[in-house]
Amino acid sequence: MAYETIKSETRGRVGLITLNRPKAMNALSQQMMREICQSAEEFDVDGKIGAIVLTGTEKAFAAGADVKEMETYEYSEAYIHDLWSGWDRMGRIRKPLIAAVGGYALGGGCEVVAMCDIVVAAENAKFGQPEITLGILPGMGGTQRLARSIGKAKTMDLVLTGRMMDAKEAEACGLVSRIVQTTNLLEDALKIAEKIADYSLPAVLAAKEAVVEAFETPLQSGLKHERRLFHASFATEDQKEGMSAFVQKRSAQFKNR
């Protein structure tokens, strides 16, 4: 379908979503949220797609939520409409989500990054939760997902001061998976996605599910869940092909079944 605030396209077995509000520094509006979620969901059910890349521009991944859109909201309006709850849809995407972050990823932009599974940052990337400077607090998971991924102390630092951290600091604290040259950002992110998409889709989905489970259950429950998924992988044709290829010293030809 046609989108107004994003671009959605395929690159082989990779779905590419590009935030496309350059004049607004890719500020996240309600419409953009709906379009990002819908595009991701469409790629998620497309059997020809194995991974999804989410990116913005070199200057800004997303500089925050659209303050102009929210400025006039009253409590009752925000509460009744459950403002920003629509982002919960991203947590139900089963295929790997890879964020390719250049420039500013602030506020809602940083929270969207935290929703993704792998974060590739350009050298010029900046991350932060500046909501406190507006008299509010993060409302899309900034106090929750960040605390789980980078720890209490670093999250408190960002949320309570509103400061920004660069790509090196973000990598050191665990928000960023790897840093690449700014000019190579999208190319490198797509290479990662292509590599993942070439593997067995059932194995990739199960692996992501197992890692996500680690953040939501006690250790023993997570270990049991992982083991059951591991056992289940032996029921797939791809497991037979992958192990046979290893023994025969050839490249595996996965069929995603």
Side-chain angles (χ1 to χ4, degrees):
M1 65 171 290
Y3 294 107
E4 296 180 5
T5 65
I6 66 170
K7 296 178 182 178
S8 181
E9 59 187 296
T10 59
R11 300 284 184 91
R13 283 184 49 78
V14 177
L16 174 60
I17 302 171
T18 305
L19 280 59
N20 189 34
R21 297 186 70 203
K23 293 182 179 179
M25 299 281 283
N26 285 334
L28 300 166
S29 64
Q30 291 285 311
Q31 180 182 3
M32 179 179 273
M33 175 196 69
R34 290 190 296 269
E35 292 187 354
I36 291 171
C37 291
Q38 181 162 345
S39 178
E41 288 168 345
E42 289 173 351
F43 286 137
D44 204 33
V45 298
D46 187 341
K48 297 178 181 178
I49 297 298
I52 304 166
V53 172
L54 180 62
T55 193
T57 64
E58 182 177 324
K59 189 174 183 179
F61 175 81
D66 193 332
V67 177
K68 291 181 180 179
E69 185 178 78
M70 295 188 296
E71 182 184 8
T72 59
Y73 277 29
E74 298 290 343
Y75 165 74
S76 59
E77 184 178 6
Y79 181 68
I80 290 171
H81 295 290
D82 204 4
L83 182 62
W84 296 124
S85 63
W87 284 111
D88 294 346
R89 294 162 61 185
M90 294 296 282
R92 295 190 287 273
I93 300 299
R94 299 178 67 203
K95 291 175 182 174
L97 286 167
I98 301 165
V101 184
Y104 296 107
L106 305 177
C110 188
E111 290 170 299
V112 171
V113 168
M115 295 176 194
C116 294
D117 303 309
I118 295 174
V119 181
V120 183
E123 293 170 323
N124 73 334
K126 300 284 186 182
F127 302 86
Q129 298 290 163
E131 289 88 348
I132 200 75
T133 68
L134 302 176
I136 59 173
L137 69 154
M140 292 160 50
T143 66
Q144 302 300 304
R145 290 190 179 90
L146 282 182
R148 284 165 169 77
S149 61
I150 69 175
K152 174 186 173 181
K154 186 69 73 172
T155 301
M156 286 289 195
D157 185 5
L158 294 176
V159 170
L160 296 181
T161 69
R163 75 174 181 89
M164 291 186 289
M165 61 179 176
D166 61 19
K168 288 184 178 179
E169 183 180 355
E171 182 185 35
C173 70
L175 177 62
V176 166
S177 309
R178 62 181 82 178
I179 301 172
V180 300
Q181 292 184 356
T182 301
T183 54
N184 296 339
L185 174 63
L186 183 56
E187 179 184 355
D188 287 348
L190 287 170
K191 285 180 180 178
I192 295 170
E194 289 163 0
K195 183 173 185 177
I196 294 171
D198 281 341
Y199 292 134
S200 165
L201 183 57
V204 167
L205 296 181
K208 173 175 173 174
E209 180 182 326
V211 175
V212 170
E213 191 78 3
F215 290 89
E216 300 178 354
T217 62
L219 176 59
Q220 289 305 313
S221 296
L223 289 170
K224 184 175 181 180
H225 187 73
E226 176 195 69
R227 195 156 53 247
R228 292 295 176 257
L229 289 171
F230 169 70
H231 294 160
S233 69
F234 285 82
T236 66
E237 292 182 22
D238 285 343
Q239 174 268 328
K240 304 296 186 294
E241 166 62 13
M243 291 192 174
S244 294
F246 178 83
V247 171
Q248 297 168 16
K249 299 182 178 177
R250 60 175 175 82
S251 298
Q253 301 296 317
F254 296 118
K255 297 180 180 179
N256 300 320
R257 57 176 186 254

